[in-house]
Amino acid sequence: MHEIKRLKARVDEIETLLEISERKADILTNLLKEANAEFERALDLVTRTERNFRAVFENAPEAIYIIDAETRKILDCNPFTVTWLGYSREELLSMKVDDIVESRGDDVRVNIRKAVDFGIVRVQERKYVKKDGTVVDTEVTGTPVEYGGRPCVAILVRDITERKQLEEFSRYKELFESVSDPVFINDYQGNLLEVNEGACQLTEYARDQLLHMPIRHLVRPDQLQIVADVLDDVRRGETVQFELDFMNRRGQPIPFEFRSRCITYHGRPAALSVARDLSIRRKLEETLIRTERLTAVGEMATGVAHNFNNLLQMIMGAAQAALSRLDSGKIGKCREPIVTILRSCDRGTDIVRRIRDFTHGGREETLEARGFNVGEVVKEAVELTKPLWENLPDTPNYDVRVDGFGESFVYGRPSEIYEVLVNLIKNAFDAMPEGGALNVSSYSDDGKVYLTVSDTGQGIPKENLQRVFEPFFTTKGSKSSGLGLSSSYGLVKKHHGDIMVESSVGKGTTFTVVLPAATRPDAAPDEAGVIGAHRNIKLLLIDDEINILKSMEMYFEDGEMEVVTALGGAAGLQEFFRGRFDAILCDMSMDGMNGLEIAEGVKQYCEEHNIPKPAFLIHTGWYERIDPQELEEKGVDRVVTKPVRYEEILQIIRQAVS
C-alpha cells in the first residue's frame, strides 16, 4: 500500500515535470520562432543594405574604389572610376593606388595605416593621373572597411578641377582688371578673346568692339609680319618681347612694348600679351637724344667758330680786294675775289648743313629715302667732327685716318647714317682722352657695305659689351644720357642693317656697321633743260629783307625771268591780285603774315576766281620740320632752303612751272 502511494506520488511528479517541460517547450518554440523571424528580418535588411550599397557604388557620380590596407592593391572600383581615369576595370584591378595618385613621399601608405588603426578619416586634396597623362585636382575621403575578410579602405574621390579653375579664374580676373597696362588675350589666328579696361582706355574702343575685331585691324599694315612672327614664336612656347604700334580709334599710332607668352584660355591655347605705352618714354628719349646732340655741337663750338671766323676773314678780304680793284678801274680782275666769296659762302653753308643734319637727325620726315654714296657721308662726318681733334689748343695728339672714298651705295636717309657715324666718332675720341689713333673706313663686299670706326682707346670691359646698345646704359656718368649708341642701333636696324662691336681693354674698340648695298641711283635729269631756254617766266618775289629783293632783281634783270618784288606779305598779296604770275617765291617768316598764310590766300583767291594757281615756293632759312600735309593743304608746291645760289633758284622755278 505504501509502495502504491509512493508510485502514485512519483507519477504525479513526472506529470508535473512533463507539464513544465511542455510549457518550456512551448516557450522555446516561441523563442525560436521569434529568433527566426528576427533573423529573417536581419537577413532581409542586410540583403537590402547590400543591394543599396551596390546600387550606390555602381551608380555614384563620383569615383569609389576599395584598396587592400596592406598591399594598397585596388580590389574593386565603380564604373565612374573606370570612365573617369580612362582605364579598363581589369587594368585598375591589376594596379595599386600608387599608380594613379601623385604621392608626396610615403604619405599614401601612412594615411591608409592611420585610417585602419585609428579610424582617422579626413578630407584632403590629391592629384590623380589619368591614363592619358592628364593630371586632375581632387578631394579625397576614406573609411576603413572589411572586404573579403581583409582590412581594407573604401576611397571616395571628387574631381574639383573645374572648381579650381574657377577659383584661379576669379583670382586671375581680379588681377587682369586691376592691371593698369593694357592686357590682350588672342588665339593663334589673331582674334582677340579677352581684353582688360586698360586696353579699352588706350585704344578708345569699347570691350565689345575689341572682341569683335582681329589684331590686324589694330596694327599698321607694315607691321603685320611682326605679329605673324611673334605668334609663331609663342606657339613654340617662347616668351617674346617686342615693340609694335597699335592704332587707336582715331587712327593715331601708339607705340607699345609687348611681352607675350602662351597660356591656356577656356581649354584652348592662346597668347597672353601685356603692353606698356612707350609714348612718354619715346618723347623722353627723343628729348635726351636731342640734348646730347646739342651738347656734342657745344663741345665742337670752338672749332666751328674757328672755321666760321676763317670763312668771314676770307669773305671780308675778298670783298675788300674786289672793291680795291673796282676803285682802280680793274673791273676784269674782280671776278677772282668774287668767286672766292661765293666759295666761302658754300663752305659756310656746308658747315651749317652738317650741324643741322646732326642735331635734327631722324626728324626729317619730309625727306624720302634714296640711294646715296656712303663714302661721301663718311667724309662729311669726319669734317663735322674736326673741331674735336684739329687745330685747337690743349687738344691731345690724334692720328685720324679715313679710307674708302670709293662709291659704296646704300638705300635710306643719308642724315641718319651721318648721325650714326658722328656718334661713333665722338665716342671714339671720348675713349682716347690722352690722344690716340682713329681709323674710319667704308668698303663694299658681297652685296653689303661696311663702315668701321676703330680707336686705340681704353676699350670696353667684357661684361659691358652686351649692354652698350641698351637705352640709358653709360659708363660716362652724368656726362652722357646713354642714348647715343642706342639711337645709332635703332637707325641701323631701320636701314635693315646690323652694328657690331669688338673691344679689348687697354687696346681699343672697333664698331662695324653693316648695311645692304644698293645700286647706283640714276642721274637726275638736267633741270636746266626742262623748259626751253627762251621762255620768259614771271616771278613774284615776296620777302621782308630789302637786300634780298634788290640782289635778285639785279641778278635777273637781263635774264629770261621777269622778277616783281614785294616788301612784306601784305604787299605781296596786293601785287598778286594786280597781275598774273607763273611762280611765287615767298619767305617763310615775316612780320604780319607768314609764308603759309600767303600761300593759303593765293590758293583761295584762285579757287574763287576759277583761275590756275601759280607754282608757290616757300623760301626759308629755318630748318624746322614742316608737315607735308599742311604744305599741300595751304597750296605750297615746294620748299627752297636758304642759302641757295640764284642759278639754282632758276632751275627750281623752271621745274616748278613745267
Side-chain angles (χ1 to χ4, degrees):
M1 191 71 173
H2 178 74
E3 183 64 26
I4 293 172
K5 288 181 180 181
R6 185 183 66 80
L7 290 172
K8 186 178 180 180
R10 181 65 178 163
V11 170
D12 292 338
E13 183 180 354
I14 292 172
E15 287 178 350
T16 301
L17 290 173
L18 181 59
E19 184 178 350
I20 293 172
S21 297
E22 287 177 353
R23 286 199 303 269
K24 287 182 177 181
D26 290 339
I27 293 172
L28 182 59
T29 299
N30 290 332
L31 288 174
L32 286 173
K33 287 180 180 180
E34 291 177 3
N36 185 62
E38 186 67 27
F39 174 76
E40 291 293 338
R41 285 194 299 272
L43 182 61
D44 181 62
L45 180 61
V46 169
T47 302
R48 282 189 285 114
T49 302
E50 172 71 18
R51 285 199 302 268
N52 291 339
F53 169 77
R54 181 54 60 178
V56 171
F57 185 80
E58 295 294 335
N59 298 292
E62 294 171 340
I64 303 174
Y65 60 91
I66 299 173
I67 58 172
D68 188 297
E70 294 297 330
T71 64
R72 301 192 297 282
K73 183 174 173 29
I74 299 174
L75 304 178
D76 199 357
C77 64
N78 68 344
F80 186 91
T81 306
V82 173
T83 304
W84 179 58
L85 292 176
Y87 292 99
S88 67
R89 177 179 173 80
E90 290 72 20
E91 287 175 321
L92 285 171
L93 297 185
S94 66
M95 299 166 67
K96 292 184 177 182
V97 68
D98 310 65
D99 299 326
I100 58 175
V101 176
E102 278 193 353
S103 63
R104 298 180 290 272
D106 203 26
D107 60 335
V108 173
R109 182 187 64 79
V110 171
N111 288 337
I112 291 173
R113 178 48 54 195
K114 287 180 179 179
V116 173
D117 292 346
F118 306 105
I120 297 176
V121 178
R122 62 186 177 87
V123 177
Q124 55 183 286
E125 291 189 4
R126 289 282 186 183
K127 290 185 180 294
Y128 275 70
V129 183
K130 296 184 178 182
K131 186 176 182 178
D132 62 5
T134 304
V135 178
V136 292
D137 293 296
T138 69
E139 279 183 351
V140 178
T141 185
T143 183
V145 298
E146 186 175 301
Y147 186 86
R150 289 179 290 179
C152 298
V153 178
I155 307 293
L156 173 67
V157 184
R158 176 171 297 161
D159 191 333
I160 60 170
T161 304
E162 186 174 346
R163 190 184 81 192
K164 283 275 190 181
Q165 289 176 343
L166 288 173
E167 291 174 355
E168 289 183 11
F169 181 76
S170 298
R171 290 194 296 269
Y172 150 77
K173 190 70 175 177
E174 182 179 355
L175 177 63
F176 186 81
E177 292 298 342
S178 64
V179 174
S180 58
D181 289 331
V183 183
F184 303 87
I185 299 176
N186 58 273
D187 60 23
Y188 293 145
Q189 287 70 49
N191 300 307
L192 288 171
L193 305 176
E194 185 60 272
V195 296
N196 71 341
E197 184 60 28
C200 298
Q201 290 177 357
L202 279 172
T203 61
E204 300 178 13
Y205 285 103
R207 180 176 176 275
D208 290 342
Q209 291 176 306
L210 285 174
L211 297 183
H212 285 85
M213 64 173 64
I215 293 178
R216 67 176 181 273
H217 288 177
L218 296 170
V219 180
R220 293 199 334 241
D222 60 318
Q223 293 186 330
L224 289 175
Q225 188 58 46
I226 298 176
V227 176
D229 293 342
V230 166
L231 288 177
D232 287 341
D233 293 339
V234 171
R235 187 184 284 110
R236 290 194 294 268
E238 300 179 21
T239 298
V240 187
Q241 187 168 334
F242 61 99
E243 292 185 7
L244 196 68
D245 289 347
F246 257 29
M247 311 297 290
N248 66 13
R249 190 170 184 174
R250 291 171 290 164
Q252 298 173 327
I254 305 174
F256 285 109
E257 180 182 66
F258 287 86
R259 189 174 181 86
S260 299
R261 62 181 293 268
C262 176
I263 64 168
T264 299
Y265 183 76
H266 289 322
R268 298 164 54 193
L272 170 69
S273 301
V274 179
R276 178 157 296 174
D277 188 352
L278 296 181
S279 302
I280 296 177
R281 194 180 87 180
R282 288 269 179 90
K283 290 179 182 177
L284 175 62
E285 288 179 0
E286 288 175 4
T287 301
L288 290 174
I289 289 171
R290 233 175 4 252
T291 302
E292 192 161 274
R293 291 192 190 113
L294 292 173
T295 301
V297 172
E299 293 174 0
M300 296 183 283
T302 304
V304 171
H306 172 77
N307 288 338
F308 267 109
N309 285 333
N310 284 341
L311 291 175
L312 291 173
Q313 183 63 51
M314 286 188 284
I315 292 170
M316 186 181 296
Q320 288 178 325
L323 282 174
S324 176
R325 291 177 182 181
L326 281 173
D327 292 340
S328 302
K330 301 176 182 178
I331 298 176
K333 292 186 177 181
C334 291
R335 181 177 180 80
E336 183 180 353
I338 292 174
V339 169
T340 299
I341 291 173
L342 291 174
R343 287 176 178 171
S344 299
C345 290
D346 288 341
R347 285 186 59 186
T349 299
D350 284 342
I351 292 173
V352 173
R353 180 179 52 79
R354 290 187 188 109
I355 295 174
R356 178 204 67 188
D357 287 345
F358 180 57
T359 56
H360 293 77
R363 296 178 61 215
E364 298 178 347
E365 297 179 10
T366 58
L367 295 181
E368 294 293 333
R370 58 183 176 84
F372 63 93
N373 185 3
V374 171
E376 294 298 322
V377 176
V378 171
K379 285 194 292 185
E380 292 196 1
V382 173
E383 283 293 322
L384 178 64
T385 54
K386 269 187 178 181
L388 292 174
W389 51 273
E390 186 180 70
N391 299 329
L392 287 178
D394 302 324
T395 299
N397 183 29
Y398 291 110
D399 178 19
V400 178
R401 297 182 181 180
V402 183
D403 302 318
F405 280 167
E407 294 187 344
S408 300
F409 290 92
V410 300
Y411 185 81
R413 290 191 173 96
S415 63
E416 294 178 341
I417 301 303
Y418 177 64
E419 179 185 347
V420 172
L421 287 169
V422 171
N423 277 333
L424 295 179
I425 293 171
K426 183 177 178 297
N427 282 348
F429 285 121
D430 289 342
M432 299 185 292
E434 305 300 325
L438 174 71
N439 184 59
V440 184
S441 65
S442 67
Y443 63 93
S444 300
D445 183 40
D446 194 24
K448 297 183 183 297
V449 174
Y450 295 82
L451 306 175
T452 62
V453 178
S454 301
D455 64 66
T456 57
Q458 301 165 342
I460 303 172
K462 186 176 181 180
E463 61 271 18
N464 291 340
L465 272 179
Q466 301 300 319
R467 301 189 61 196
V468 293
F469 299 115
E470 292 180 8
F472 307 109
F473 176 77
T474 179
T475 58
K476 302 176 186 177
S478 59
K479 296 180 181 179
S480 171
S481 67
L483 289 171
L485 286 176
S486 171
S487 172
S488 299
Y489 179 86
L491 292 175
V492 171
K493 288 296 183 182
K494 179 180 176 181
H495 285 73
H496 306 289
D498 201 1
I499 181 169
M500 298 164 287
V501 57
E502 297 178 359
S503 187
S504 178
V505 175
K507 295 182 179 180
T509 302
T510 297
F511 283 91
T512 302
V513 176
V514 185
L515 299 169
T519 57
R520 181 188 181 96
D522 295 333
D526 183 6
E527 293 181 338
V530 173
I531 296 181
H534 300 292
R535 174 180 170 181
N536 290 326
I537 300 173
K538 191 173 182 181
L539 172 71
L540 174 59
L541 176 63
I542 306 172
D543 206 304
D544 58 355
E545 283 288 344
I546 188 66
N547 290 327
I548 292 178
L549 299 177
K550 287 183 177 180
S551 63
M552 190 171 287
E553 279 183 327
M554 287 188 292
Y555 182 82
F556 289 109
E557 63 183 355
D558 296 324
E560 67 186 73
M561 189 158 63
E562 177 188 350
V563 178
V564 177
T565 60
L567 185 62
L573 275 180
Q574 291 302 318
E575 198 68 52
F576 168 72
F577 296 152
R578 285 194 294 266
R580 293 289 180 267
F581 298 91
D582 299 303
I584 300 174
L585 181 62
C586 180
D587 187 33
M588 177 66 181
S589 301
M590 297 180 292
D591 293 334
M593 299 179 70
N594 63 37
L596 292 180
E597 291 171 332
I598 296 171
E600 189 174 27
V602 169
K603 179 182 178 182
Q604 184 176 351
Y605 180 85
C606 292
E607 290 174 350
E608 290 175 353
H609 292 78
N610 196 26
I611 60 175
K613 183 182 76 68
F616 196 99
L617 293 80
I618 286 288
H619 197 204
T620 178
W622 292 97
Y623 297 110
E624 76 276 11
R625 183 184 66 185
I626 304 175
D627 185 2
Q629 185 175 353
E630 183 181 9
L631 291 175
E632 183 179 353
E633 290 174 353
K634 301 292 186 183
V636 177
D637 299 294
R638 183 162 178 174
V639 176
V640 181
T641 305
K642 298 178 182 178
V644 58
R645 292 195 176 202
Y646 289 153
E647 59 264 30
E648 293 179 27
I649 287 180
L650 176 58
Q651 292 179 358
I652 292 170
I653 292 174
R654 282 174 173 171
Q655 186 182 32
V657 300
S658 62

